[in-house]
Amino acid sequence: MAELKTRVGIIGAGPAGLLLSHLLARAGLDSWVLERRSRAHVESRVRAGVLEQSAVDTLCRAGVGERLVREGIIHHGIELRFGDRAQRIDFEQLVPGRNITVYGQREIVKDLIEARLAGPNAHEPVSFEATEVGLTGLAAEEPVVHFTVGGQRHRLACDWVIGCDGFHGVSRDWLPKAGVKTYERTFPFAWLGVLANVEPSSRELVYALHERGFALHSMRSNDISRFYLQVSPDEDLRAWTDERIWAELTCRLATVPGWSLRTGPILEKNLAPLRSFVVEPMRHGRLLLAGDAAHIVPATGAKGLNLAVADVRLLSNALVAWYTHGSAELLDQYSETCLRRVWRVQQFSCWMTRLLHRFPSDDAFERRIQLAQLEAVATSRAGATSLAENYVGLEHV
Ligand code: APR
Ligand code: PHB
């Protein structure tokens, strides 16, 4: 049994865990990151790709924004398509000075791992392929994380344990049953995600409601496009040939005169459920949760990654205050402060999902109401402004 010691034990090397470890290191605080999968795996996962300005600012302040700034694509609007309508939501008009940046999540993970393993904090460990993670000593406020790497069992004594292990992680199980509340909603459809080696057919993201379901045109660069199609929750991915995918995307997106969809080689396709999940509180003694370990939002609002960054921005400040000034105030407020933002973002993400998807249970009346609501959002300044404010990221929440 190897005996190890650090200040902050972090479970999970996704954006939340890696960014937190990096922000702590920049404040001179050591941490140890434990990741169940291999480095190659976490760097290859295709996930989200839209960053609010506050997330970009945090990554840049953390010293990992150089490639993001160089390769990220700044957008000043998004487009809504429904019926034969196309309506641009113009951020410059509606929320002047605010925008979003398109930059793949896996690029952020690569940048953070690079910085972690190559930068001034290269001595700070990330233990990949760390399995059988267990936790003791929470009640005694001397938490110990137990894990196995390379067949050897390790004991990692630390002051704080941060669960950044995502929705399917183990850290949430360490919350006591009494006093913990979970809120959950699973939507009656999933997303078929596609990564394609083709130049984007639109300069900005296109969100489309079509009678056959939702579709989204996003991108990763000037020659890599990202698409999503609403499919049934139990869809068989094997039934989606490349030809069928392009035919369906063209059908749902090419609904305005003079616009056509470029097609090309499909690099990856995957299925993802759409769900909402929140656990309250996000802290139990010396255990705190951040990111998807504590909350999941449906991807329609492009908020999951931004919520994870917001959590660790607050958490790193709170831990720094505790170590440098002995103040527990921010730590004691952490859960409540995060949950206020989580529910605002949950509301927006569910509203976007409701607005832009075909719900199997909807009847003809509800479908007309849905179109009228889209019309209202797209054509009323107040409606469009509210969407824009939430989309670029709520300030002061
Ligand atoms: N032990 C160690 N690591 C674990 C364990 C475990 N038992 N369980 C899960 N992990 C790892 C996963 O392999 C993953 O690398 O925790 C990491 C969690 O990362 P994410 O799921 O990316 O979660 P988070 O960092 O909170 O990022 C959240 O990014 O994925 C996007 O849009 C998504 O909103 C999400 C955001
Ligand atoms: C993405 O680019 O992966 C993306 C963009 C917008 C969303 C969800 C995902 O709402």
Side-chain angles (χ1 to χ4, degrees):
M1 171 77 74
E3 299 287 338
L4 308 167
K5 183 153 186 45
T6 188
R7 284 192 170 98
V8 181
I10 299 173
I11 318 293
L18 290 165
L19 180 58
L20 177 62
S21 68
H22 200 69
L23 290 168
L24 293 174
R26 288 184 68 89
L29 299 174
D30 58 287
S31 63
W32 197 301
V33 179
L34 304 172
E35 167 54 50
R36 176 172 58 184
R37 310 300 297 264
S38 67
R39 178 177 178 178
H41 179 86
V42 294
E43 289 187 345
S44 67
R45 267 184 313 225
V46 178
R47 286 257 187 88
V50 169
L51 293 170
E52 299 169 352
Q53 191 56 44
S54 58
V56 172
D57 297 345
T58 302
L59 290 160
C60 291
R61 257 201 317 277
V64 288
E66 194 260 329
R67 194 162 72 96
L68 160 58
V69 170
R70 196 175 64 241
E71 298 176 10
I73 314 168
I74 295 181
H75 285 184
H76 299 285
I78 59 171
E79 187 178 302
L80 302 178
R81 271 184 201 171
F82 52 101
D84 59 0
R85 299 280 307 277
Q87 182 69 44
R88 184 164 180 264
I89 303 294
D90 181 339
F91 300 156
E92 280 166 316
Q93 282 295 314
L94 300 164
V95 282
R98 314 208 43 226
N99 52 50
I100 56 158
T101 300
V102 174
Y103 185 69
Q105 169 176 326
R106 70 178 176 192
E107 307 313 319
I108 295 171
V109 167
K110 286 180 195 163
D111 296 342
L112 284 164
I113 292 175
E114 184 72 32
R116 177 86 176 169
L117 299 182
N121 315 300
H123 60 281
E124 300 267 352
V126 179
S127 301
F128 289 104
E129 296 170 75
T131 58
E132 300 163 305
V133 170
L135 178 62
T136 56
L138 262 184
E141 298 202 335
E142 290 165 354
V144 174
V145 185
H146 309 260
F147 63 97
T148 300
V149 169
Q152 186 181 12
R153 201 73 181 137
H154 297 72
R155 275 172 53 87
L156 174 67
C158 41
D159 303 324
W160 300 92
V161 177
I162 316 300
C164 297
D165 48 353
F167 183 70
H168 302 289
V170 291
S171 57
R172 224 178 20 255
D173 304 340
W174 298 330
L175 295 176
K177 296 293 168 273
V180 167
K181 213 168 168 352
T182 59
Y183 304 82
E184 198 151 1
R185 173 75 73 249
T186 300
F187 291 89
F189 36 73
W191 275 11
L192 168 58
V194 173
L195 194 70
N197 187 357
V198 63
E199 181 186 346
S201 305
S202 171
R203 274 182 327 97
E204 295 174 334
L205 273 63
V206 177
Y207 286 86
L209 170 65
H210 187 274
E211 67 206 30
R212 295 171 63 85
F214 167 83
L216 167 60
H217 181 355
S218 179
M219 63 283 294
R220 289 291 176 270
S221 67
N222 295 332
D223 45 37
I224 300 288
S225 294
R226 179 79 168 144
F227 300 96
Y228 297 95
L229 282 169
Q230 173 185 350
V231 295
S232 70
D234 54 4
E235 198 72 26
D236 179 354
L237 198 52
R238 290 163 303 177
W240 284 89
T241 61
D242 295 7
E243 296 66 39
R244 183 181 174 200
I245 288 172
W246 287 122
E248 194 63 38
L249 284 169
T250 301
C251 172
R252 297 188 195 181
L253 290 167
T255 54
V256 288
W259 191 91
S260 61
L261 180 68
R262 293 190 185 92
T263 65
I266 289 181
L267 305 170
E268 290 180 39
K269 45 190 155 181
N270 66 306
L271 281 175
L274 263 79
R275 66 159 68 94
S276 287
F277 176 85
V278 179
V279 66
E280 293 183 359
M282 291 170 59
R283 176 190 175 181
H284 170 61
R286 292 296 178 103
L287 169 67
L288 298 104
L289 304 184
D292 278 16
H295 43 73
I296 298 279
V297 290
T300 325
K303 293 298 178 196
L305 180 57
N306 295 292
L307 265 181
V309 172
D311 286 353
V312 296
R313 180 172 54 230
L314 186 69
L315 186 49
S316 59
N317 293 341
L319 288 164
V320 170
W322 190 79
Y323 279 107
T324 51
H325 311 301
S327 161
E329 193 185 347
L330 290 178
L331 280 167
D332 294 343
Q333 295 164 354
Y334 169 73
S335 179
E336 197 189 324
T337 308
C338 284
L339 288 168
R340 212 176 15 254
R341 182 176 48 262
V342 167
W343 281 111
R344 286 291 303 276
V345 169
Q346 194 68 262
Q347 181 274 329
F348 170 66
S349 304
C350 292
W351 175 81
M352 277 281 271
T353 304
R354 175 68 258 181
L355 186 69
L356 291 161
H357 287 75
R358 278 300 216 210
F359 280 69
S361 58
D362 279 359
D363 61 17
F365 176 81
E366 279 145 337
R367 298 207 161 144
R368 299 293 291 153
I369 292 293
Q370 183 183 24
L371 281 176
Q373 191 179 10
L374 254 173
E375 174 89 19
V377 169
T379 57
S380 90
R381 189 173 177 86
T385 303
S386 168
L387 194 164
E389 277 173 354
N390 281 280
Y391 199 88
V392 298
L394 296 168
E395 291 179 297
H396 322 304
V397 174

